[in-house]
Amino acid sequence: MKLALQIERYLPQQVLELVRDISEEASRLGQKVYLVGGVVRDLLLGYPNLDLDLVIEGDAVKLAQQVAAIRQIKLVIYSRFGTAKLNYGNFTLDMATARGETYAKPGALPTVTPGIINNDLFRRDFSINAMAISLMSNNYGELVDPYQGRSDLEHHLIRILHSKSFSDDATRILRAIRYEQRLGFELELQTAHLLKQYIPMLDTISGDRIRHELELIFKEKHPEHVIKRLGELGVLQRINPSLRGNSWIAEKFDKVRPLSKPSQLSSLYLCLFIYSLRERENEQFIRRLNMPTKLARTLRDMLHLKNQLCLLDKSSINHSEIYYLLHEYDPLAIQANMLVSESSTVRSNLELFLTKLRFVKVSLNGEKLKRLGIPAGPELGKILQVLHKAKLDGEVKTRAEEEKLALSLKP
Ligand code: ATP
Ligand code: MG
């Protein structure tokens, strides 16, 4: 099958020119270049994809360096993996040397050997991700499809390439369900059978890798569909016995989506995902996923605050009381609770803190108080605190009122 026309239509002109330069330089060096993986899948489906992966039968890093020098493009080299990344406008172009892989033991990172395109495709997760398109001038646009990926695309099937695939790398269990739900496909029968059988192999996967796959799920348009299905299959429970994928989560994910800043959405999803866990279960989860300190703090804060929300369920509460209850919590943890709380009073008190109270500052500081004749020392700190509280509660508004109050408190 020739896809030359589809490539020309699918990729923007600038990228086509760059790709042409790469393949010309490659043939000068006696190497071959292919477009591979997700972009081939999406090109056949007619979906956009701005992450281009190129596989080179030859030295990818050397080729990338040559092209970057000719074109004056920024290049990042990952010498450990023999890969290079070119950033080009909205596009990223990853270049990797074709390689085969063997797994010393399940879940371990693979041992890599240089190879040809077919070996490189064989190490991939699913047939729909194991296709390539030649970019060489003699067979430009030719589809390389040794595992019937195109037929599986047409039949809407997710299929692994061999029966040990899930045991070699159980993150593929999470990936399979992510693609199944994103594309509205089905697991091929044998794949479905092996997926269920190998769920326990998730225990061989490091926390960092599980977390990475969870982050990829949270980047999906509808992560709640993936989470629900993973729950039904018992995959979530294998990661932590208390995790669930129920309709409550789906409802909250739907609610948070339009309200969150894009950069915070993934962390908020994570908060909602673990909202029903007890603090002890959360600690297990944090340990299992080797959660970075900052994110772990957000999750701990969220559950801790969840147990304090009753203190905020009264409309007569002072602003300063709200402030002192909340000021040590991570704002994301507060936002997550705001999204979830059933009480409109609690929600509006949390919102008041997030939008106003946490930004309230007194105009005076230590230096200015000293100039008013208040001596340095612990008293001065106390006066500043009283001023802050009075400002929060609206008892002082202007700088003159702050000064008046400060002088009245002078020891
Ligand atoms: P997406 O649209 O989600 O980015 P993608 O196919 O580009 O899909 P990536 O996670 O970017 O997925 O990975 C690029 C390619 O690398 C995949 O198409 C797949 O061929 C291969 N790949 C990624 N992870 C694995 C894995 N765990 N096992 C085997 N192959 C993998
Ligand atoms: Mg990708």
Side-chain angles (χ1 to χ4, degrees):
M1 187 193 193
K2 281 275 181 147
L3 295 165
L5 278 176
Q6 284 88 332
I7 298 175
E8 301 291 317
R9 236 180 282 140
Y10 185 76
L11 297 179
Q13 200 52 39
Q14 289 171 302
V15 177
L16 282 172
E17 281 166 21
L18 178 62
V19 163
R20 215 162 287 142
D21 283 1
I22 293 173
S23 68
E24 270 170 29
E25 193 56 29
S27 57
R28 234 175 37 77
L29 295 168
Q31 306 183 341
K32 290 184 181 163
V33 183
Y34 301 86
L35 203 55
V36 290
V39 65
V40 176
R41 174 198 71 222
D42 288 342
L43 184 144
L44 288 167
L45 289 168
Y47 296 159
N49 189 328
L50 301 181
D51 297 325
L52 305 193
D53 284 308
L54 297 184
V55 161
I56 321 295
E57 285 178 351
D59 187 339
V61 172
K62 195 167 151 200
L63 178 60
Q65 282 168 328
Q66 304 259 24
V67 174
I70 298 168
R71 280 272 193 154
Q72 310 246 301
I73 299 175
K74 232 180 104 197
L75 175 73
V76 186
I77 293 172
Y78 304 93
S79 42
R80 228 185 98 206
F81 301 103
T83 61
K85 190 189 266 304
L86 295 163
N87 284 313
Y88 197 62
N90 287 339
F91 276 75
T92 62
L93 212 140
D94 282 294
M95 295 170 66
T97 298
R99 59 187 202 244
E101 281 176 359
T102 48
Y103 289 82
K105 63 174 190 326
L109 287 175
T111 314
V112 172
T113 47
I116 55 168
I117 187 68
N118 278 26
N119 302 140
D120 194 282
L121 295 176
F122 186 59
R123 72 184 171 83
R124 288 169 190 268
D125 44 8
F126 311 112
S127 64
I128 59 166
N129 287 342
M131 291 180 276
I133 298 175
S134 167
L135 297 174
M136 305 312 296
S137 55
N138 62 333
N139 59 353
Y140 186 80
E142 191 160 291
L143 185 69
V144 184
D145 181 16
Y147 308 106
Q148 287 76 52
R150 196 161 68 91
S151 158
D152 285 340
L153 264 189
E154 279 163 11
H155 294 98
H156 293 184
L157 291 174
I158 309 289
R159 181 198 303 271
I160 45 176
L161 305 188
H162 56 86
S163 59
K164 279 177 62 206
S165 184
F166 287 128
S167 101
D168 279 347
D169 179 356
T171 64
R172 293 172 186 162
I173 293 173
L174 301 167
R175 297 178 63 83
I177 302 304
R178 185 160 62 84
Y179 290 117
E180 177 203 59
Q181 294 301 311
R182 180 203 296 179
L183 300 170
F185 282 19
E186 276 177 31
L187 300 178
E188 171 274 331
L189 219 60
Q190 175 77 348
T191 300
H193 173 72
L194 290 167
L195 183 146
K196 286 177 198 151
Q197 182 180 334
Y198 283 116
I199 289 172
M201 293 306 276
L202 280 165
D203 296 357
T204 65
I205 304 296
S206 72
D208 289 343
R209 294 191 69 212
I210 300 244
R211 199 177 68 248
H212 176 65
E213 289 301 326
L214 204 55
E215 283 162 6
L216 291 178
I217 292 170
F218 290 152
K219 285 195 186 136
E220 292 293 318
K221 203 163 162 209
H222 287 289
E224 63 275 19
H225 299 170
V226 184
I227 296 295
K228 177 161 179 274
R229 177 89 159 109
L230 290 172
E232 285 163 3
L233 287 163
V235 174
L236 298 181
Q237 294 81 337
R238 192 78 205 182
I239 297 170
N240 183 296
S242 318
L243 289 174
R244 294 285 175 276
N246 51 29
S247 55
W248 184 90
I249 289 188
E251 186 198 313
K252 300 302 174 204
F253 274 30
D254 221 26
K255 187 168 160 199
V256 68
R257 216 170 354 254
L259 299 177
S260 162
K261 287 188 197 155
S263 60
Q264 294 182 335
L265 186 56
S266 179
S267 304
L268 281 170
Y269 279 148
L270 184 66
C271 284
L272 299 173
F273 180 50
I274 64 123
Y275 198 76
S276 59
L277 265 55
R278 295 169 203 275
E279 293 186 76
R280 190 173 36 83
E281 295 161 347
N282 182 39
E283 289 308 317
Q284 287 171 351
F285 180 72
I286 286 172
R287 230 175 302 125
R288 174 66 183 98
L289 265 67
N290 193 27
M291 206 65 89
T293 319
K294 191 166 171 298
L295 202 51
R297 187 192 152 201
T298 306
L299 300 184
R300 288 187 180 115
D301 275 11
M302 186 197 62
L303 292 185
H304 193 269
L305 176 57
K306 176 182 159 187
N307 296 323
Q308 306 288 315
L309 288 181
C310 51
L311 301 173
L312 288 158
D313 203 1
K314 40 188 180 186
S315 38
S316 59
I317 191 168
N318 285 336
H319 288 184
S320 57
E321 275 181 76
I322 300 178
Y323 180 87
Y324 293 119
L325 268 170
L326 294 177
H327 75 292
E328 283 182 339
Y329 288 106
D330 180 331
L332 263 183
I334 299 176
Q335 205 186 336
N337 275 291
M338 192 173 92
L339 285 158
V340 164
S341 170
E342 300 288 333
S343 152
S344 63
T345 311
V346 169
R347 286 199 304 271
S348 71
N349 285 334
L350 294 174
E351 188 176 9
L352 181 65
F353 174 82
L354 285 177
T355 55
K356 296 218 174 76
L357 302 183
R358 68 178 165 139
F359 304 115
V360 168
K361 299 266 180 305
V362 286
S363 320
L364 299 176
N365 58 23
E367 275 313 305
K368 289 174 186 158
L369 287 182
K370 276 191 252 167
R371 261 183 261 137
L372 288 176
I374 296 169
E379 287 303 321
L380 190 139
K382 276 190 207 145
I383 292 177
L384 279 171
Q385 262 183 16
V386 174
L387 287 177
H388 186 228
K389 180 172 179 302
K391 186 115 186 204
L392 283 164
D393 289 334
E395 290 158 5
V396 296
K397 294 198 173 68
T398 62
R399 176 164 171 167
E401 285 169 352
E402 283 183 28
E403 285 180 1
K404 196 170 152 207
L405 177 59
L407 289 171
S408 77
L409 296 166
K410 191 173 162 183

